[in-house]
Amino acid sequence: MTKIDEIIKVLQQQNADAAWITTPLNIYYFTGYRSEPHERLFALLIQADGEPVLFCPKMEVEEVKASPYEGKIIGYLDTQNPFDLYPQTFTTLLIESEHLTVKRQRELSQAFNVQVYSDIDQSIKDLRNIKSYEEVTKIKKAAELADKCIEIGVAYLKEGVEERDVVNHIENEIKKYGVNEMSFDTMVLFGDHAASPHGTPGNRKLKQNEYVLFDLGVVYEHYCSDMTRTVKFGNPSEDAQNIYKTVLKAEQSAIEAIKPGVMIKNIDKIARDIISEAGYGDYFPHRLGHGLGLEEHEYQDVSSANENPLEAGMVITIEPGIYVPDVAGVRIEDDILVTENGYEILTKYQK
């Protein structure tokens, strides 16, 4: 069964006429064609009778034809109303309510005479939550390249170097390995500057005897990695090293508990309890992790609020952290594949 077939099944279950998908990454997920249309309409219409229709600017039609997508294409000029090229009536339409604008929804109502709207967001998240063999292969390669980024960054550390210099060096050097895009803005933070979980690299200079926090990821064939390492430069203070040891224990203990059927919130609790018992509970202000795939942050949250079970095929991050102002910030993060019997750690750089 194809991914489009899965949506047709949802349509039939909900007695809906069609689904209107507008998130570029979701369109790529279903068609194999990726585009960033800016203000232009770019949408995939999947109908209950099985016919997919891709609306795109006319200048992209040849690229769509060269992609894996095999459905109908509605290519339109900038001077045309794309809806005029495919007149239809849909009583019930499933939409991505988290993405569709009010303006577009009004256009849909007028063009297709839609009477009832319902959400398809969760159905798509559920599909993307379980990765195929091909998806896992790409994420593994992205993780391997993230490991290389850390290796490049660590080798460049020297007293007096600025955070921003290390970021630039990593992103320039990794291009030699075929990487054209990072998953997000690379983060390199020194010493007490890392006590801000989402700090911004700047002109802070590296000093002897402090930790360096790297948080980065790369995109490989549209799939992301996301990893964090906190490494010694010299001999950090005893307080800073105790923080590191606590985070490492929390991370390793949480990972060791991963297997299908375990409630996600229980994984969060394992790490959070270790950090709290060490006296740092107030300094761990974020969830333990998140889903990973076409986006660096995607469904599901690895948090105390998530009562869903882990399932084989999920890829998640585990990233506990402790951030003590004026002392240190430590986070350790790995990309984890949930397997039939347990887990596989995809990011390999030493801890």
Side-chain angles (χ1 to χ4, degrees), residues 218-268:
V218 308
V219 179
Y220 177 78
E221 294 188 8
H222 306 289
Y223 283 82
C224 298
S225 54
D226 179 5
M227 70 179 295
T228 307
R229 288 294 185 269
T230 306
V231 302
K232 281 183 180 181
F233 186 74
N235 189 31
S237 69
E238 184 176 345
D239 284 348
Q241 292 196 47
N242 283 336
I243 290 171
Y244 184 91
K245 291 173 185 175
T246 302
V247 173
L248 181 61
K249 180 181 178 183
E251 201 231 11
Q252 291 177 329
S253 299
I255 291 173
E256 288 168 3
I258 289 174
K259 62 180 179 181
V262 175
M263 291 177 72
I264 290 173
K265 71 175 186 179
N266 292 345
I267 301 298
D268 182 283

Side-chain angles (χ1 to χ4, degrees), residues 23 37 42 67 76 90 116 119 124 139 141 184 197 236 240 273 312 320 342:
T23 305
F42 181 52
S67 77
Y76 64 91
F90 300 119
V116 179
D119 298 348
I124 295 175
I139 297 171
K141 182 61 177 180
F184 50 90
D273 284 352

Side-chain angles (χ1 to χ4, degrees), residues 181-213:
E181 183 183 359
M182 306 301 288
S183 302
F184 50 90
D185 291 341
T186 299
M187 186 186 300
V188 178
L189 302 171
F190 300 156
D192 57 353
H193 195 201
S196 173
H198 277 175
T200 301
N203 59 4
R204 165 73 151 79
K205 290 181 169 59
L206 182 58
K207 305 169 188 174
Q208 280 290 339
N209 304 324
E210 59 185 4
Y211 279 111
V212 178
L213 187 151

Side-chain angles (χ1 to χ4, degrees), residues 41 54 72 100 122 156 171 199 213 219 230 262 301 327 335:
L41 177 71
L54 185 65
K72 187 178 183 65
L100 191 72
Q122 190 59 50
Y156 193 67
E171 293 186 351
L213 187 151
V219 179
T230 306
V262 175
D301 282 344
V327 180
D335 301 341

Side-chain angles (χ1 to χ4, degrees), residues 4 10 17 62 64 118 166 175 181 194 245 250 259 331 333 335 351:
I4 287 179
V10 171
D17 299 313
E62 292 306 313
V64 176
S118 190
V166 181
K175 289 177 182 175
E181 183 183 359
K245 291 173 185 175
K259 62 180 179 181
R331 183 166 62 255
E333 175 184 18
D335 301 341
K351 292 176 277 192

Side-chain angles (χ1 to χ4, degrees), residues 15 26 43-44 75 78-79 97 135 146 151 158 227 246 278 290 298 301 311 318 320 336 338-339 346:
N15 198 29
N26 281 337
L44 176 65
D78 287 344
T79 53
S97 61
E135 289 178 292
E151 180 184 319
K158 53 184 177 290
M227 70 179 295
T246 302
H290 52 80
E298 61 181 46
D301 282 344
E311 298 178 64
I318 299 294
I336 312 293
V338 183
T339 64
L346 308 184

